């Protein structure tokens, strides 16, 4: 007697949901990164209702996951183990078909980057002042120091170093310290601060947080401070941080807890309205990291934002 898969109906639903040209294109795009509805509309050059209808069907079939974030809605590939092998097989067969989709995705990325860089160039001189509006930097830095404790570290990497404040705070304890950022304006601010602080071991570099081109297992401490909410693919950044860590190395992430203040997206170029703990746990696990501790720093005003600190280690 033939055996029937436990979720036979679910598998059929997934096959039906994938079996349409636009949906296949959507699957391949979402395999590259998490994207919003409007970004997918732009890439595929189809109407918003049409794209939303396809996404709804694919989401209901379990092929993709819907992630509301304030007034925006993002989509990503499903992590469901009962469906993911099918999705991976489809993606393998698709390969790099329809290169115009990938070119349009790259155009969206470049537009997003130009917008972010333009913002950073405008606010670079007042970056620390802007951050201080949301939570006391003194309290955050004290909490960071406490989380790290007295355990030594030799090689520090600060991903998305911004104004270089984390290097000011932590690089003095390291033999080497590297700060990477995509914005030359922010790096100029950081260089001035590092010089004034007399940190001769700190090296400021123009670099991509997704692809640092630094050697694997070259750091025993990686910092990602108030960066992930600007990114389209935080999981990829966490994975790169994990790659950089040697065994027993530590990753410290500082970011906002999830919130609903759309002004952060509208005025300050935040792509995500903070981080969810369940997302962070999944990203760390996928990167081969184990969460050791986390803590919250609530705001002192009703309109402020809660800061979260996560500390993970590489086993």
């Amino acid at each position: 007697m033939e055996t029937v898969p436990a979720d036979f109906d679910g598998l059929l639903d997934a096959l039906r949901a994938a079996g349409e040209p636009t949906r296949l294109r959507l699957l391949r795009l979402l395999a590259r990164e998490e994207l919003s509805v409007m970004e997918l509309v732009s890439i595929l050059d189809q109407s918003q209702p049409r794209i939303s209808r396809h996404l709804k069907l694919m989401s209901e079939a379990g092929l993709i996951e819907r992630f509301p974030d304030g007034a925006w809605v993002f989509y990503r590939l499903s992590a469901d183990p009962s469906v993911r092998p099918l999705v991976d097989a489809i993606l393998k067969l698709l390969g790099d078909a329809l290169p115009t989709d990938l070119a349009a995705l790259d155009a969206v990325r470049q537009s997003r980057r130009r917008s972010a860089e333009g913002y950073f160039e405008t606010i670079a001189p007042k970056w620390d002042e802007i951050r201080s509006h949301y939570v006391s930097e003194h309290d955050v830095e004290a909490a960071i120091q406490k989380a790290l404790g007295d355990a030594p570290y030799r090689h520090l990497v600060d991903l998305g170093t911004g104004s270089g404040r984390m290097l000011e705070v932590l690089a003095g304890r390291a033999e080497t310290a590297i700060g990477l950022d995509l914005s030359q304006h922010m790096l100029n601010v950081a260089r001035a601060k590092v010089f004034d602080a007399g940190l001769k071991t700190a090296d400021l570099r123009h670099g991509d947080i997704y692809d640092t081109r630094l050697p694997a297992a070259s750091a025993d401490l990686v910092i990602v401070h108030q960066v992930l909410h600007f990114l389209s693919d935080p999981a990829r950044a966490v994975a790169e941080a994990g790659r950089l860590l040697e065994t027993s190395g530590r990753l410290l992430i500082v970011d906002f807890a999830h919130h609903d203040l759309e002004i952060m997206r509208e005025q300050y170029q935040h792509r995500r309205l903070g981080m969810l703990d369940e997302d962070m746990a999944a990203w760390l696990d996928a990167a081969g990291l184990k969460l050791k501790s986390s803590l919250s720093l609530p705001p002192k005003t009703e309109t402020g934002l809660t800061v979260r600190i996560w500390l993970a280690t590489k086993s």
Side-chain angles (χ1 to χ4, degrees), residues 87-165:
V87 174
D88 290 340
I90 291 171
L91 293 172
K92 184 176 180 180
L93 289 170
L94 285 174
D96 291 329
L98 291 171
T100 53
D101 284 356
L102 301 182
L105 173 59
D106 188 59
V108 165
R109 289 170 173 162
Q110 293 301 322
S111 175
R112 191 191 299 149
R113 175 175 293 185
R114 285 193 298 271
S115 177
E117 288 180 347
Y119 165 72
F120 283 126
E121 289 172 7
T122 301
I123 59 86
K126 296 184 177 181
W127 177 239
D128 288 325
E129 177 186 342
I130 289 174
R131 287 194 312 188
S132 70
H133 290 170
Y134 312 129
V135 66
S136 166
E137 284 299 303
H138 177 271
D139 290 346
V140 174
E141 290 167 10
I144 289 171
Q145 295 278 23
K146 184 176 181 180
L148 291 176
D150 297 327
Y153 49 87
R154 304 179 314 281
H155 306 296
L156 165 67
V157 175
D158 183 18
L159 297 178
T161 194
S163 66
R165 179 56 186 166

Side-chain angles (χ1 to χ4, degrees), residues 2 14 33 38-39 49 128 138 144:
E2 295 183 357
E33 65 180 71
M38 296 315 298
E39 286 173 332
D128 288 325
H138 177 271
I144 289 171

Side-chain angles (χ1 to χ4, degrees), residues 64-82:
I64 61 175
E65 297 174 355
R66 184 178 186 272
F67 176 63
D69 190 30
W72 287 24
V73 177
F74 294 89
Y75 286 86
R76 56 194 174 201
L77 289 188
S78 172
D80 186 343
S82 68

Side-chain angles (χ1 to χ4, degrees), residues 34 67 69 76 229 234 270-275 279 283:
E34 178 183 277
F67 176 63
D69 190 30
R76 56 194 174 201
H229 58 254
H270 290 201
R271 182 167 174 81
R272 283 175 169 263
L273 299 183
M275 303 293 125
D279 282 340
W283 300 335

